[in-house]
Amino acid sequence: MKILFASSEAAPFAKTGGLADVSGTLPKFIREMGHDVRLIIPLHQCIDEGKFNLRRVAGFFVPVGERQVEAEIFEGRLGDLPVYFIKKDRYFDRPELYGTSHGDYPDNAERFVFFSRGVIEAANVLGFHPDVIHCNDWQAALVPAYLKTLYNADPFFGKTASVLTVHNLAYQGVFWHLDLPMTGLSWDLFTPEFLEFYGKINFLKAGLVFADILTTVSKTYSKEVQTPEHGWGLDGVLRIRKKELFGIVNGIDAQEWDPGTDREIASSFSARSLKGKDKNRKALREEMGLADTSAPLLAFVGRLAGQKGVDLLAEVIERLGDTDCQFVVLGSGEEHLQRLLVDVANRHPGRVAVHVGFDAGLARRVYAGADMFLMPSRYEPCGIGQLISLRYGTIPVVHRTGGLADTVSEFSATSGKGNGFTFRELTVESFAKAIQKAVKTYQNRPAWTRLVKNAMACDFSWDSSAEQYLKLYEKAVRMRTAK
Ligand code: ADP
């Protein structure tokens, strides 16, 4: 099969979150299964053309409203995977991907109309006519709408199927209605059945309506998004399409995330030989200015956003003041949450360390050095932090929601089964209780070692998820040709 994987970010080129992890990994696995998959992303400012050996392969024009916007295509490789970069400095030569801490870029509608339309036009210019375009999130969600409207009569794209993966339903790309002409789509589509969303246009909704197949990044989340509680106003649309909606849990690249070979960490280790983990803990304490104690070290790595339950985290750290444990927090995001955490750290020097910023190397040292990994997310489509932490023998303590519910199971010292600790009710009390249970287990050394080994034995590699995606690509093609 020929598959074009369209995403606004992909590791290691540009990353703000889990979408980049998936986009930088899943296509490689599908390629290894013998398919001609190629990745396409915008050429963001953070992508160093020299470092990644990118070369210009074509110039082309992308219609945006009445204009023909001139742009270029660069090509690079990720292993064997061809990666195309759409270069248009006016849109993508910016310090951040989507906006600053003061808010989204005001021209995001135009930027991602250009990108979505550019994906199809680039494929054409490159002579690569995919059987399936796998679109991700709102930034690429107009692609399915284009395929079924403006390109429906096109000899190539008229047969191209689309799969849309929703990595986080809360981000939808909602813009005022007067941006519609820029999309090139007809006002006939400005109705509640199609793009209209409470008087505005909603890019993600366009994708949800037009894509042949829809997926979310875990089974539980695929059910949750059909409820008013987690549907962000789109649960009705998703219920209508529930027969074409599937949940496939994300994997992680087991080579990329391997405590046995990770060069960023102080000492390598494996499930068979855990000694290195102690060295990493010690090194992390030193790096973060934490006291040297025998207490367990609890960590958080993630976006500082309401979704991630950062307020609960700050409160639980205060609440557990007397409990014998230390905290290390790495995150960037909303300013008030940064301040909240820094205040907590200032009140507890030596016991709580907070590093504000995005630091991929430090994240690895935290995964390797911590004993427990905290994810009190209000909702979590899949979550990658818990998967990485399991791989590094760092025990997740998580809110039982979305992908966290699908990947973390409660440990029982009696049966010796389970890989972490979960709590159902989203309150500081139940979060604190789960942590206390984890800390108590930590003091029972044989039980803890069993638990760490269970965690490290979990297989969340991409193989089985990639196979599930392939089946859905085939299904999408069948659906497209049947119409
Ligand atoms: P989301 O996509 O909602 O942000 P995920 O758990 O799916 O959350 O993925 C987050 C990814 O980003 C993980 O790989 C995590 O390690 C990484 N990450 C998040 N914040 C930071 C940070 N401040 N520094 C380094 N890595 C981070």
Side-chain angles (χ1 to χ4, degrees), residues 15-19 21 167-168 250 257 301-304 307-308 330-332 355-364 367 373 375 380-386 388:
K15 167 166 168 173
T16 66
L19 169 62
D21 291 309
H167 297 259
N168 191 334
N250 286 337
W257 299 102
V301 177
R303 278 185 298 119
L304 302 182
Q307 177 204 340
K308 300 292 177 181
L330 167 62
S332 61
H355 181 98
V356 172
F358 196 96
D359 186 333
L362 178 56
R364 286 175 179 277
Y367 285 117
F373 193 79
M375 286 182 84
E380 194 59 81
C382 176
I384 297 216
Q386 85 281 15
I388 301 173

Side-chain angles (χ1 to χ4, degrees), residues 59-287:
F60 71 137
F61 288 91
V62 181
V64 176
E66 297 288 297
R67 285 171 298 142
Q68 293 288 332
V69 176
E70 190 170 9
E72 295 169 290
I73 305 169
F74 280 65
E75 185 178 345
R77 297 261 146 176
L78 195 53
D80 288 339
L81 178 77
V83 185
Y84 300 118
F85 300 82
I86 301 186
K87 181 174 163 80
K88 182 69 200 170
D89 288 348
R90 177 148 52 91
Y91 296 135
F92 302 120
D93 186 13
R94 302 192 186 183
E96 305 290 336
L97 270 52
Y98 314 117
T100 64
S101 59
H102 301 296
D104 290 346
Y105 289 131
D107 58 347
N108 271 353
E110 184 174 340
R111 296 173 77 218
F112 291 102
V113 162
F114 166 81
F115 177 64
S116 288
R117 194 87 191 254
V119 166
I120 302 175
E121 292 295 335
N124 199 30
V125 165
L126 294 163
F128 181 67
H129 295 110
D131 301 303
V132 177
I133 303 184
H134 185 163
C135 314
N136 293 274
D137 279 352
W138 71 266
Q139 294 92 339
L142 288 179
V143 173
Y146 286 139
L147 289 175
K148 293 255 174 81
T149 56
L150 303 182
Y151 295 85
N152 203 32
D154 186 288
F156 286 114
F157 296 108
K159 290 199 178 61
T160 301
S162 59
V163 171
L164 174 68
T165 296
V166 178
H167 297 259
N168 191 334
L169 189 65
Y171 299 88
Q172 301 180 353
V174 176
F175 303 99
W176 77 329
H177 63 294
L178 292 181
D179 280 334
L180 188 82
M182 201 158 53
T183 65
L185 296 166
S186 155
W187 279 106
D188 293 348
L189 296 179
F190 192 66
T191 66
E193 290 76 51
F194 295 102
L195 272 66
E196 195 259 343
F197 188 69
Y198 301 101
K200 299 189 168 184
I201 43 174
N202 184 322
F203 285 16
L204 188 67
K205 186 176 176 189
L208 296 180
V209 170
F210 282 106
D212 296 294
I213 293 283
L214 306 174
T215 75
T216 67
V217 287
S218 69
K219 271 217 162 55
T220 296
Y221 193 61
S222 74
K223 302 278 183 286
E224 287 172 347
V225 292
Q226 297 178 47
T227 66
E229 193 193 345
H230 292 288
W232 298 96
L234 290 176
D235 44 296
V237 179
L238 287 157
R239 282 196 300 275
I240 291 173
R241 300 227 48 203
K242 68 176 179 216
K243 285 212 176 90
E244 295 94 36
L245 170 62
F246 300 85
I248 303 178
V249 73
N250 286 337
I252 50 169
D253 186 335
Q255 275 176 0
E256 170 75 24
W257 299 102
D258 181 357
T261 55
D262 193 327
R263 283 204 221 125
E264 288 284 348
I265 66 177
S267 177
S268 58
F269 62 98
S270 66
R272 248 177 292 143
S273 163
L274 284 166
K275 276 214 181 75
K277 181 120 185 119
D278 299 332
K279 290 193 189 143
N280 285 303
R281 189 190 305 102
K282 192 168 170 0
L284 180 61
R285 277 196 173 117
E286 276 169 23
E287 180 175 358

Side-chain angles (χ1 to χ4, degrees), residues 393-412:
T394 303
I395 302 307
V397 181
V398 305
H399 180 216
R400 203 180 308 156
T401 183
L404 298 174
D406 293 358
T407 54
V408 180
S409 55
E410 190 73 18
F411 177 71
S412 149

